[in-house]
Amino acid sequence: MRKEISFRTLKAGLRDAVNRKIPKTMSTQHPDNVFLPSWVNEDVIQGDAEVEEAFFAYNRLGCMEVMWDSEGKDVDTHVVRKLLSKYGDFFKEKILGEDVFLTYRVPNPKVETTERKILLESLVNIPVAHDIATTFYKREVSPIFEVILPFTTNSEELVWMLKYYEKTIAGVEETCLGESIKVADWIGAFKPKTIEIIPLIEDMESILNINGIIEPYIRTVKPKYLRVFVARSDPALNYGLVCAVILCKIAFSQLKSLEVATGVSIYPIVGVGTMPFRGHLQPSKVDHFIDEYKGVCTVTIQSALKYDYLLEDVIKTVKILNERIPCGEPSVMEPSEFETLKGLLAKFMEKYQMVVENLASLINSVASLVPQRRARKLHIGLFGYSRNIGNIVLPRAIPFAAALYSLGIPPEFIGFRALNDLSEAEWDALDKYYVALKHDLESVGVFLSWRNLNMLADMHSQVAKMVGADEEKLRLAIAEIMKDLEVVEEKFAITLGPKNLTQRRYENITNDFLISFLEQNSLDAQKCLIEAAKIRKCLG
């Protein structure tokens, strides 16, 4: 007890010393929405519509931060000029960079090799935004000073990005252009002189070693505080639902310990969608969400939440998050618990990946019917890069999940055969660190279609031929999913499948989808896919 009180006292002191507002809610551009906002005249949100979306997030929803995302998509680098010129009255009251925030997410040059120089385009625009805001506010203001680096796997790449900005962008002002003139004399000073890097940590190995990434960065850079982004969707895609949740809890625990050890305030961010597979942040589930993710300081507000729910409910959800998080502190794990959870992770990951590998051709075929909601470029998820997966390539997490939901197979359930292999200690750890597991499974279980599963089992030869899959592997995957579902029903004493009339209508639509898909009627199949997503209130 003394240790906990001491920690809380220290933490309060650390965070009080940070001289800035830490945003609680971050609007993002994740393309998981079914419906489109009224200001969009096409099927894709892009260009000036994303600028208007940013203002909508600040002004109507009450989001404190907007992620401006150039990872895998085109983005308007003139966003600050457009926001301040079009919505000047609002931003005179809410200072951009002090009261509300705009944060870049850039491509990781190590991973997104084709797009890696977009990183430079984004970074060089930071001083431009500073000049525009300084003119608008008539005082020094840096509206953009934070950058999210996805796929962070070591501390060095964080330092590289920081040093690149400091030396080649802000530092260019000292370059001599002639005997008596420097760049700063010609086009002015470059501000801010430095930026803050937010590591986005996405793969299992890196999350398990999160302190091995963050501690050397803190030691090298000596920041006053650090925001750390823990992925939730990609771990679900790569390792399954249980692994994604447990990895978050491990990350929060390690970051909490590191904060105490270093004396540097650490503010975790978690990226979540509306379905349990990607985080389960819905207006009706916000209390469960806050209880599950205690200690998280910033939560993403993705497109399905913004556009597929009643506006008044979304505003209320954002308000609750802004007022209540972080709600308590994450639990600090004992070393023995950490080792137990690693064993649990290995068991669930093995069972999950075995099925997903065998389903990949079917998933990819269905995912091609999922409508794009953003102008995204080709992107290969971590599953495709992972060495132990072979040559399997999958879509991103949203179309991946959308494909499985459309088939009547919620991805949440894949891999739950692992429950049969858990030790008593692993069961206890799962119960402790995934608080709402049964609640999540019951919530999504109504979207399961036994009829679709039986149809796929009966017609697996035809399906395999159609999507270019190995017939025996597809048959095995469907059989294993059946076992997953049986284990869930037995272990948690729940009945999966539709309960009310709306859910039965949903199942009928997924039946129609599968029939149209097998008939290779893409137009009707996509209509069914969208109708089912409307009931689900998200694509994936």
Side-chain angles (χ1 to χ4, degrees):
M1 178 63 70
R2 289 181 180 177
K3 181 179 179 181
E4 183 66 19
I5 293 173
S6 173
F7 169 76
R8 287 180 177 176
T9 303
L10 173 61
K11 184 163 227 170
L14 287 173
R15 292 190 170 175
D16 287 345
V18 174
N19 188 28
R20 67 158 289 191
K21 179 190 295 184
I22 299 295
K24 308 291 186 69
T25 45
M26 176 195 289
S27 173
T28 73
Q29 298 169 344
H30 288 79
D32 57 345
N33 54 304
V34 188
F35 292 96
L36 290 159
S38 58
W39 61 82
V40 175
N41 298 319
E42 50 190 332
D43 291 337
V44 174
I45 306 174
Q46 59 184 330
D48 286 343
E50 289 189 321
V51 177
E52 189 160 353
E53 176 185 42
F55 178 67
F56 169 78
Y58 294 131
N59 183 48
R60 294 296 303 280
L61 301 185
C63 294
M64 301 170 70
E65 181 174 23
V66 168
M67 178 197 291
W68 204 245
D69 192 359
S70 62
E71 188 218 357
K73 60 185 285 293
D74 289 323
V75 71
D76 192 336
T77 57
H78 302 294
V79 55
V80 170
R81 183 195 308 277
K82 291 182 177 181
L83 285 172
L84 298 183
S85 60
K86 189 171 182 179
Y87 309 108
D89 290 344
F90 174 85
F91 288 106
K92 285 176 183 176
E93 297 294 324
K94 298 282 189 180
I95 309 301
L96 190 58
E98 296 177 8
D99 301 314
V100 293
F101 301 89
L102 188 71
T103 303
Y104 278 159
R105 180 166 75 165
V106 297
N108 186 322
K110 180 182 66 180
V111 178
E112 305 274 1
T113 55
T114 303
E115 304 290 335
R116 56 189 172 188
K117 290 185 175 61
I118 289 177
L119 165 67
L120 314 185
E121 181 183 350
S122 300
L123 294 182
V124 81
N125 191 58
I126 293 175
V128 177
H130 176 94
D131 290 349
I132 292 166
T134 296
T135 300
F136 178 82
Y137 290 114
K138 297 181 174 60
R139 65 178 178 87
E140 296 279 345
V141 173
S142 293
I144 304 171
F145 58 88
E146 294 175 289
V147 177
I148 298 165
L149 181 67
F151 298 113
T152 298
T153 57
N154 61 67
S155 61
E156 289 181 337
E157 54 196 341
L158 301 173
V159 175
W160 294 340
M161 180 182 288
L162 179 65
K163 295 303 180 185
Y164 180 87
Y165 178 85
E166 291 177 343
K167 291 183 176 182
T168 69
I169 295 179
V172 76
E173 64 181 38
E174 294 299 321
T175 301
C176 291
L177 301 177
E179 292 184 2
S180 60
I181 189 169
K182 296 181 178 179
V183 168
D185 300 320
W186 184 37
I187 56 176
F190 284 67
K191 297 181 180 180
K193 298 300 183 188
T194 189
I195 55 174
E196 297 173 15
I197 312 298
I198 300 174
L200 171 50
I201 302 176
E202 308 187 46
D203 67 288
M204 184 179 291
E205 182 180 356
S206 298
I207 293 174
L208 293 176
N209 183 44
I210 194 166
N211 283 6
I213 297 171
I214 303 305
E215 191 276 334
Y217 181 74
I218 289 175
R219 187 165 14 95
T220 301
V221 175
K222 298 177 175 57
K224 294 180 180 178
Y225 68 94
L226 189 65
R227 300 175 74 197
V228 179
F229 203 143
V230 180
R232 178 60 181 74
S233 292
D234 271 359
L237 165 67
N238 296 320
Y239 318 117
L241 170 67
V242 167
C243 291
V245 174
I246 296 301
L247 285 169
C248 277
K249 303 302 178 68
I250 290 172
F252 296 161
S253 170
Q254 293 200 18
L255 291 173
K256 178 178 176 181
S257 298
L258 184 62
E259 181 178 62
V260 174
T262 61
V264 174
S265 296
I266 297 176
Y267 299 89
I269 305 168
V270 67
V272 291
T274 56
M275 295 295 281
F277 191 68
R278 297 184 52 246
H280 213 184
L281 178 58
Q282 300 176 8
S284 64
K285 309 292 184 183
V286 66
D287 289 335
H288 287 282
F289 175 84
I290 290 173
D291 188 49
E292 188 70 69
Y293 294 95
K294 287 181 178 178
V296 69
C297 295
T298 307
V299 174
T300 60
I301 307 298
Q302 299 187 3
S303 302
L305 180 55
K306 287 184 287 193
Y307 306 128
D308 295 340
Y309 290 83
L310 291 175
L311 178 59
E312 61 192 52
D313 291 339
V314 183
I315 293 171
K316 182 179 179 181
T317 299
V318 172
K319 185 174 187 291
I320 290 170
L321 293 169
N322 284 338
E323 291 174 350
R324 290 181 55 189
I325 64 170
C327 183
E329 300 289 350
S331 299
V332 173
M333 297 173 182
E334 297 295 334
S336 60
E337 290 182 303
F338 181 54
E339 291 305 314
T340 298
L341 287 171
K342 286 201 294 185
L344 180 152
L345 289 171
K347 291 175 181 178
F348 270 94
M349 180 179 69
E350 179 188 8
K351 300 296 187 186
Y352 173 84
Q353 290 186 343
M354 181 187 307
V355 171
V356 171
E357 285 184 63
N358 291 338
L359 275 182
S361 296
L362 177 58
I363 292 170
N364 284 321
S365 186
V366 176
S368 67
L369 299 173
V370 177
Q372 291 191 16
R373 291 298 186 236
R374 303 280 171 168
R376 285 198 178 274
K377 300 171 183 174
L378 179 65
H379 175 93
I380 299 174
L382 282 172
F383 213 103
Y385 291 115
S386 186
R387 291 179 182 174
N388 64 330
I389 305 303
N391 295 318
I392 299 300
V393 175
L394 290 172
R396 295 184 75 137
I398 292 166
F400 170 86
L404 286 166
Y405 290 129
S406 301
L407 289 166
I409 309 171
E412 285 84 349
F413 297 107
I414 299 176
F416 268 82
R417 308 181 308 290
L419 290 176
N420 288 331
D421 302 329
L422 298 188
S423 67
E424 184 177 350
E426 288 167 340
W427 260 108
D428 290 342
L430 178 62
D431 187 55
K432 178 178 180 179
Y433 288 106
Y434 192 164
V435 178
L437 175 56
K438 182 176 179 179
H439 169 78
D440 286 354
L441 295 176
E442 285 182 309
S443 297
V444 76
V446 300
F447 298 118
L448 173 72
S449 173
W450 288 107
R451 281 185 289 176
N452 274 20
L453 268 171
N454 289 326
M455 191 189 309
L456 286 168
D458 292 342
M459 304 181 65
H460 72 273
S461 296
Q462 178 184 334
V463 176
K465 184 176 181 180
M466 176 182 161
V467 301
D470 180 279
E471 183 178 327
E472 177 58 22
K473 287 183 177 180
L474 183 60
R475 185 200 65 78
L476 179 62
I478 296 166
E480 298 286 38
I481 291 171
M482 295 280 202
K483 292 178 185 175
D484 288 329
L485 298 169
E486 291 168 4
V487 169
V488 168
E489 289 192 322
E490 176 192 348
K491 300 292 186 183
F492 294 99
I494 59 179
T495 301
L496 302 175
K499 303 292 191 298
N500 61 34
L501 292 178
T502 299
Q503 293 157 8
R504 292 181 188 281
R505 183 184 301 114
Y506 176 89
E507 184 178 26
N508 288 338
I509 295 170
T510 62
N511 295 157
D512 290 342
F513 166 80
L514 183 54
I515 291 168
S516 296
F517 175 74
L518 294 176
E519 291 176 339
Q520 301 189 48
N521 185 337
S522 297
L523 187 60
D524 283 355
Q526 188 174 63
K527 286 180 181 177
C528 293
L529 184 152
I530 293 170
E531 286 306 307
K534 288 178 180 178
I535 295 176
R536 209 167 53 239
K537 296 186 183 297
C538 73
L539 286 174

